[in-house]
Amino acid sequence: MLRPSWAAYGNTMRNQRSIILAAVLVVVALGILGSRYQVYSPLQGQKFSFTQSNASPRTAAANSTLGFERLVALSTKPSWRTRGLAAAANLTGLEFTIPPQAQNSDELVEAFRNIGESHGAKVPAFGSAKAWLSHLDLLKYVVASGLETAFIVEDDVDWDVRIKTEMGLVSDNVRAYTGVNEEDTTPFGTNWDVLWLGHCGSIITDDINPPPRVYADDSRCETELYSGWSKRFLREKLVEGHRQVQMSLMSVCTFGFGVTKQGAKKMIPLLTKASEEAFDVALSGHCRDQKLKCITVNPQLFNHYEPPKDSGYLSDVHVGDGQGETSEEAQFEHSKGTTGNIMKSARCEALFHDTCMRPPSEI
């Protein structure tokens, strides 16, 4: 912050020079702030913009941004994560934007945590709080960019090589589930705040209202191959070879989620207090309390890729949470890892010409 001290100047000319210099600094600062959210596509090496087409909703959902106005990745720096994201995106014809991330200081992270503590809330550990603030920065980017819709992913995200076909089915069924008028040709309508497509589980119950919309999708992970805490719901409540669109019930992990303009605007004030153990848990709570209208596709279409278990890799969040140190990228980047619940991983096909399903589990 510029704090001129007029008493420090001895004459009028010096005062005038100070005022001119201050004005220049303010203009420069505004220019820097204005360019903070400049849109760029490091995966393609060029800027791009979303243009509306006359394609059908299903066809639009299979375009290079999967029917959203922009695909946005949360990433703090180039790494094995972004290189794998680029490889998978190029293989499947997707175009991501990685906006410049704010460098939130340790003091800011601690201040954010203290907001929750002062209200007696359960607060995130340091690494989780830092990731939470990064998600908030991306939501601000969506609003500042004037986007009608965006799909936000974490930079280690993975998906099936058939993602465009899958998203065509998502379009058909989200539109039907939310009652989109035929005159509205948007791929998913906008009668939702969060469209949660990348998660690590969600409850299925007979009490969901409105009732889920079940649809066939032969690319879906087989139930017995599924890994995660919600496996029993798939086994007991969902027909094999099918997914369902439903209201979100305890969805967790924000591997990939869509937001509408109004959804992003609602989320920012709701999530500016560290009141839970992590961003995804807080988001799930607001969905549960109906402060946000959240729709989930179950089971998920996006999950995170993990380096080999014996590589010594630990995520930045876990390192920040004090769970240990991670190994150097060179020790694992070129060794095939795993992705849970994605039958034909785009990352593993692009990088290793292979599939890489995580072993099935109940947790």
Side-chain angles (χ1 to χ4, degrees):
M1 180 183 295
L2 189 65
R3 296 178 178 174
S5 176
W6 303 118
Y9 301 102
N11 54 55
T12 302
M13 289 299 295
R14 291 176 67 188
N15 283 345
Q16 290 176 342
R17 285 198 299 270
S18 177
I19 293 169
I20 293 170
L21 176 59
V24 170
L25 289 175
V26 169
V27 170
V28 171
L30 288 174
I32 292 172
L33 289 172
S35 65
R36 173 183 171 189
Y37 290 134
Q38 181 179 9
V39 178
Y40 73 108
S41 175
L43 303 188
Q44 300 294 331
Q46 58 187 8
K47 296 180 184 178
F48 66 94
S49 62
F50 177 85
T51 54
Q52 194 69 31
S53 71
N54 295 321
S56 69
R58 174 185 275 207
T59 300
N63 66 11
S64 63
T65 55
L66 299 178
F68 298 93
E69 195 165 350
R70 194 165 295 163
L71 299 180
V72 181
L74 187 160
S75 186
T76 57
K77 62 182 182 297
S79 69
W80 67 268
R81 300 161 70 104
T82 55
R83 290 187 286 273
L85 180 66
N90 290 334
L91 176 70
T92 52
L94 302 185
E95 192 168 28
F96 285 86
T97 296
I98 302 181
Q101 276 280 193
Q103 298 301 308
N104 295 314
S105 67
D106 290 354
E107 291 78 10
L108 177 59
V109 176
E110 286 298 345
F112 176 64
R113 296 178 71 238
N114 289 338
I115 295 172
E117 285 185 329
S118 66
H119 290 79
K122 183 177 183 179
V123 300
F126 183 87
S128 297
K130 195 167 188 176
W132 189 326
L133 284 172
S134 294
H135 272 292
L136 278 174
D137 285 333
L138 275 197
L139 289 170
K140 293 173 186 176
Y141 161 78
V142 170
V143 173
S145 300
L147 300 174
E148 294 297 327
T149 63
F151 190 70
I152 297 171
V153 303
E154 298 174 0
D155 60 359
D156 60 350
V157 75
D158 199 0
W159 56 88
D160 198 287
V161 296
R162 298 162 290 183
I163 187 61
K164 290 185 175 180
T165 300
E166 292 176 341
M167 290 300 293
L169 295 173
V170 170
S171 170
D172 290 347
N173 289 281
V174 167
R175 284 173 57 87
Y177 186 70
T178 58
V180 178
N181 190 295
E182 289 186 5
E183 295 179 358
D184 180 350
T185 60
T186 55
F188 314 105
T190 54
N191 188 22
W192 47 271
D193 297 318
V194 178
L195 181 55
W196 213 323
L197 304 180
H199 52 83
C200 54
S202 189
I203 290 176
I204 301 176
T205 173
D206 295 332
D207 297 329
I208 299 178
N209 188 33
R213 182 177 175 86
V214 179
Y215 66 93
D217 183 351
D218 60 11
S219 70
R220 196 209 100 175
C221 173
E222 298 172 26
T223 300
E224 288 310 307
L225 299 179
Y226 191 88
S227 59
W229 64 271
S230 63
K231 182 173 182 172
R232 67 182 183 90
F233 297 110
L234 302 180
R235 185 185 295 118
E236 297 168 4
K237 301 290 186 180
L238 189 57
V239 178
E240 194 69 64
H242 289 69
R243 299 186 197 269
Q244 69 178 39
V245 179
Q246 63 174 77
M247 298 307 292
S248 176
L249 286 177
M250 213 176 103
S251 302
V252 285
C253 303
T254 46
F255 301 139
F257 62 97
V259 294
T260 54
K261 177 189 287 186
Q262 78 270 7
K265 287 181 177 180
K266 289 180 188 177
M267 292 168 72
I268 291 169
L270 287 172
L271 292 161
T272 49
K273 181 175 70 177
S275 56
E276 267 294 355
E277 62 189 81
F279 173 84
D280 63 314
V281 178
L283 176 58
S284 185
H286 294 310
C287 294
R288 177 199 60 222
D289 297 340
Q290 299 183 6
K291 294 178 181 177
L292 296 168
K293 185 173 183 179
C294 306
I295 297 172
T296 298
V297 176
N298 205 355
Q300 66 269 53
L301 285 81
F302 295 82
N303 211 325
H304 69 145
Y305 170 86
E306 298 176 280
K309 291 292 186 184
D310 59 356
S311 66
Y313 167 73
L314 200 62
S315 72
D316 289 345
V317 171
H318 289 152
V319 171
D321 286 350
Q323 296 184 25
E325 297 298 324
T326 189
S327 57
E328 296 293 329
E329 293 183 353
Q331 297 183 35
F332 59 79
E333 182 169 2
H334 303 294
S335 299
K336 187 178 71 172
T338 60
T339 299
N341 311 323
I342 304 298
M343 297 295 291
K344 297 183 178 181
S345 157
R347 280 190 184 242
C348 288
E349 176 59 34
L351 297 172
F352 308 108
H353 307 293
D354 201 357
T355 58
C356 57
M357 277 279 288
R358 184 189 307 147
S361 71
E362 300 286 336
I363 58 173

